Amino acid sequence: MADIESTLNPIFTKIDELKPQFIERLRKAVAIPSVSSDESLRPEVFRMADFLVDELKALNADDITVKQLGKQPPPVADANLQLPPIVLAKFGSDPSKKTVLIYGHYDVQPALLEDGWASDPFALVERDNKLFGRGSTDDKGPVMGWLNSIQAHRELNIDLPVNLVCCFEGMEESGSLGLDELIAQEAQNYFQNVSSVCISDNYWLGTKKPVLTYGLRGCNYYQLTVKGPGADLHSGIFGGVIHEPMTDLIKVMSQLVDVDGTIKIPHVLDLVAPVTEKEEALYKDIDFDVNELNLASGSDTAIYKDKRDILMHRWRFPSLSLHGIEGAFYGAGAKTVIPAQVIGKFSIRTVPDMDSDILNKLVIDYCNERFKELGSPNTFTAELIHPGAYWVSDPFNNEFTAAKLATKTVWGIEPDLTREGGSIPVTLTFEQQLKSNVLLLPMGKGDDGAHSINEKVDVPNYIEGTKTLSAYLHYYSITK
C-alpha cells in the first residue's frame, strides 16, 4: 500500500496542476449539443464522437476503433437516420497486467435555455465552484475524468497499472440501441481478456459523503398511441361531436399510477422479491439527510419522510412515472386544436425479481383493457419501446475493495454502499457477456441535477473524482 501511495502522490499533484486544462476539456465537450433523442441534432452526436477520437489520439491510444451501427430502427421520422458510433480504444496490452474496461456515454438529454436554465446549457459556466452545463455530470464529466487520468499518467511517464479498454457510446439516453449486440460480438474479440468493468455514470446519494453503488433499478419504457381523425381539427367545429384521442389517452394514463406513487396495474408488485431482515439492516447506517431530497428536487413534495422509506422506494421498490404526451399542443397561448393522434409515454423502474416479459404482458394487457372500457372508435396501441434490466452485485468483491481504498485515500472517509433508482442497462450486459464483475464508481453529487435544468458538477468532485478513478486503477491492479 505504501508503494501505491508514493506513486499516487505525484499523480494527484499533476491532476491539481492540470486542473485548468481539464476544465477546458469539459468545456469543449459540453459545447457540443449531442442530444441523441433529437433527430435534428444527430450530426452533433457524431461530432461528439469525433471529438472523443481526437482526444484519444492526442493521448496516444494504442488502438482506436470506431464501430458504426447502421440505421436506427423505427420509430424514427427519418428512415435513413444513422445510429451514432461506439468509440473503442485501448491503452496497453501487457499480459502480466489486469485489463479494465471503462464505459461511458457521450450523448446527453435535451436542454433549452427557456426550460429554466440560468445560462446556456451548452456553454460550461463556473459559478460558486460548480461547473454548469448539460452533460457536465451525465456523463461527459466522468468520461473526461478518465481522459484526465490518462493524461496525468502520460505527462509523468508513469505507466498505467492496468491495461485499459475504453467503450464510449452515443445512445445511452435513448436506450443504448446497438450496444448489447456490439458487446456480444466483441466479447471474444476487442473485449477479450477484460477482467473487470468500471462505470462512472451515477452519483453520490447526498452531497457530503462518497458512495459505491452495487445495485440499480431497471427501466422498461412504454408508449400508448391513440389515433382518431384524419387531421388535427378545430374544437369549435368538432368539439363535443367526435371521440377525441387526447381524452381517451388521458383517461387510460390516469389509471396507471396513484398520486401517492402506488402502481395501479394488478400483480406488478407480486413480482417483487421480499425484503429480508439482512437487507433491511443495510439501510440503518447509511448517511442520508431526508432534507437533501427536498433540496435536490427543489420542493417539499416528498411522499415519504423517513430515511428508510425514501431509500427503499428509491432503490428497492418499483415505480411508475408519466413522462409526456407527443402530438399534443404545449406552447404558449390558447390554441384550440383537437390533435388527430397523441402518444403517451411512461416507464416502470424494475427491481429484483421482476421478469421483464411477464411485466410487459401485465402492462400492455391492462392498458388495452382500460381503453376497451371506453367504447371509443379510435384506434389504440400499447407497446414497449425499450426494456432495461435491473442489476445487483457483490459489494465485497475485489473491485469494491479497491474502490473503497481509493475513495478513502482521496476523500479521507469510507464510502457508503448504496443502490440507485436510476438505470444503466449495459451494466448487466457487460457482466453477463464478459463474465466480469462491474463496479459503479460515481463522480458527481446527489444534487447535480442530471436530466434536469442547471445540471452541474462541483469542481472538487470533477478534480478529486479524477484522482479517485486514478487511485482505483492502482489499488485494483494489486488485488488477488
Side-chain angles (χ1 to χ4, degrees):
M1 295 298 178
D3 290 342
I4 287 184
E5 291 176 5
S6 64
T7 301
L8 289 175
N9 287 334
I11 294 173
F12 291 172
T13 300
K14 175 58 71 172
I15 290 171
D16 288 331
E17 176 189 320
L18 294 173
K19 173 181 168 182
Q21 288 187 36
F22 293 165
I23 292 176
E24 182 60 24
R25 174 177 278 139
L26 182 57
R27 189 184 313 280
K28 291 177 180 177
V30 167
I32 302 173
S34 51
V35 180
S36 58
S37 64
D38 187 337
E39 292 187 28
S40 70
L41 290 174
R42 186 56 55 86
E44 296 296 331
V45 189
F46 275 83
R47 187 159 73 94
M48 185 63 205
D50 292 339
F51 171 83
L52 279 175
V53 169
D54 290 342
E55 291 291 308
L56 292 164
K57 286 179 179 177
L59 292 170
N60 297 316
D62 298 323
D63 175 22
I64 301 172
T65 301
V66 178
K67 290 286 187 178
Q68 302 296 340
L69 301 178
K71 293 181 183 179
Q72 182 168 331
V76 289
D78 178 5
N80 293 313
L81 185 69
Q82 297 293 308
L83 287 167
I86 294 176
V87 178
L88 305 176
K90 290 182 178 179
F91 292 88
S93 56
D94 186 341
S96 68
K97 293 180 178 180
K98 296 178 180 178
T99 299
V100 175
L101 185 149
I102 55 176
Y103 162 86
H105 65 91
Y106 59 85
D107 64 319
V108 297
Q109 284 281 321
L112 298 171
L113 183 62
E114 52 265 35
D115 291 338
W117 285 74
S119 54
D120 182 350
F122 296 105
L124 194 72
V125 173
E126 184 171 351
R127 296 192 301 270
D128 303 322
N129 211 27
K130 299 175 175 63
L131 300 169
F132 291 87
R134 176 58 89 218
S136 56
T137 194
D138 182 23
D139 184 37
K140 291 180 177 179
V143 169
M144 296 307 112
W146 285 115
L147 302 183
N148 297 343
S149 174
I150 295 167
Q151 181 179 345
H153 282 81
R154 293 287 185 191
E155 294 203 9
L156 290 168
N157 291 315
I158 295 176
D159 289 339
L160 290 168
V162 298
N163 303 313
L164 275 186
V165 177
C166 304
C167 179
F168 302 136
E169 70 153 320
M171 282 293 286
E172 194 275 344
E173 301 292 5
S174 299
S176 291
L177 300 179
L179 181 60
D180 284 357
E181 293 81 1
L182 178 125
I183 294 171
Q185 292 167 8
E186 300 297 334
Q188 299 303 319
N189 297 298
Y190 204 93
F191 300 152
Q192 190 176 17
N193 299 322
V194 166
S195 56
S196 181
V197 177
C198 186
I199 298 174
S200 292
D201 187 20
N202 61 309
Y203 317 94
W204 294 4
L205 175 58
T207 60
K208 299 173 183 177
K209 190 176 182 183
V211 307
L212 301 177
T213 304
Y214 68 94
L216 297 164
R217 291 195 294 184
C219 182
N220 282 22
Y221 202 100
Y222 305 91
Q223 73 176 27
L224 308 176
T225 303
V226 184
K227 295 180 181 179
D232 289 356
L233 301 176
H234 192 303
S235 67
I237 300 173
F238 293 94
V241 295
I242 66 164
H243 286 269
E244 300 186 15
M246 178 75 91
T247 304
D248 292 349
L249 180 65
I250 294 297
K251 183 65 176 178
V252 174
M253 293 185 74
S254 71
Q255 298 178 78
L256 295 174
V257 62
D258 218 332
V259 293
D260 64 355
T262 301
I263 297 174
K264 298 173 75 173
I265 303 170
H267 307 302
V268 167
L269 296 182
D270 296 342
L271 304 177
V272 180
V275 179
T276 65
E277 290 184 9
K278 182 179 179 181
E279 181 186 355
E280 188 167 358
L282 292 175
Y283 291 78
K284 180 180 179 181
D285 297 325
I286 290 176
D287 183 10
F288 178 72
D289 183 349
V290 175
N291 291 325
E292 287 189 356
L293 178 68
N294 294 330
L295 292 173
S297 69
S299 64
D300 186 5
T301 54
I303 295 174
Y304 304 98
K305 307 300 181 182
D306 175 74
K307 177 182 78 171
R308 173 194 168 280
D309 289 336
I310 290 172
L311 295 182
M312 280 206 165
H313 282 87
R314 186 170 176 175
W315 302 341
R316 184 58 180 74
F317 297 121
S319 63
L320 190 155
S321 298
L322 308 178
H323 299 301
I325 298 177
E326 183 181 336
F329 170 62
Y330 64 90
K335 187 177 180 181
T336 56
V337 66
I338 297 173
Q341 173 180 298
V342 285
I343 302 173
K345 303 182 180 185
F346 68 97
S347 70
I348 294 179
R349 297 286 173 171
T350 60
V351 299
D353 292 323
M354 299 176 76
D355 181 283
S356 185
D357 291 338
I358 295 175
L359 174 65
N360 296 336
K361 188 175 189 312
L362 289 173
V363 170
I364 292 171
D365 286 353
Y366 177 81
C367 291
N368 285 330
E369 289 167 5
R370 299 290 80 75
F371 178 77
K372 186 177 180 181
E373 291 172 353
L374 303 180
S376 171
N378 295 326
T379 61
F380 178 83
T381 304
E383 58 188 325
L384 173 76
I385 298 303
H386 61 75
Y390 60 82
W391 167 79
V392 180
S393 185
D394 172 14
F396 303 102
N397 62 26
N398 286 342
E399 286 77 5
F400 279 87
T401 299
K404 291 171 194 172
L405 290 169
T407 302
K408 188 169 184 180
T409 297
V410 175
W411 296 97
I413 190 171
E414 288 275 354
D416 277 337
L417 297 175
T418 66
R419 291 162 72 162
E420 279 205 6
S423 305
I424 311 175
V426 73
T427 306
L428 188 62
T429 304
F430 277 128
E431 186 175 81
Q432 293 175 339
Q433 293 290 342
L434 305 189
K435 306 296 189 293
S436 300
N437 290 329
V438 180
L439 166 73
L440 293 184
L441 182 55
M443 173 181 281
K445 291 183 176 180
D447 66 348
D448 279 356
H451 292 211
S452 187
I453 60 171
N454 300 316
E455 178 184 344
K456 59 84 178 172
V457 64
D458 289 24
V459 173
N461 281 67
Y462 182 51
I463 300 304
E464 303 304 299
T466 295
K467 294 177 185 177
T468 305
L469 299 178
S470 304
Y472 168 68
L473 298 180
H474 285 268
Y475 282 114
Y476 177 67
S477 71
I478 63 168
T479 59
K480 298 179 180 179

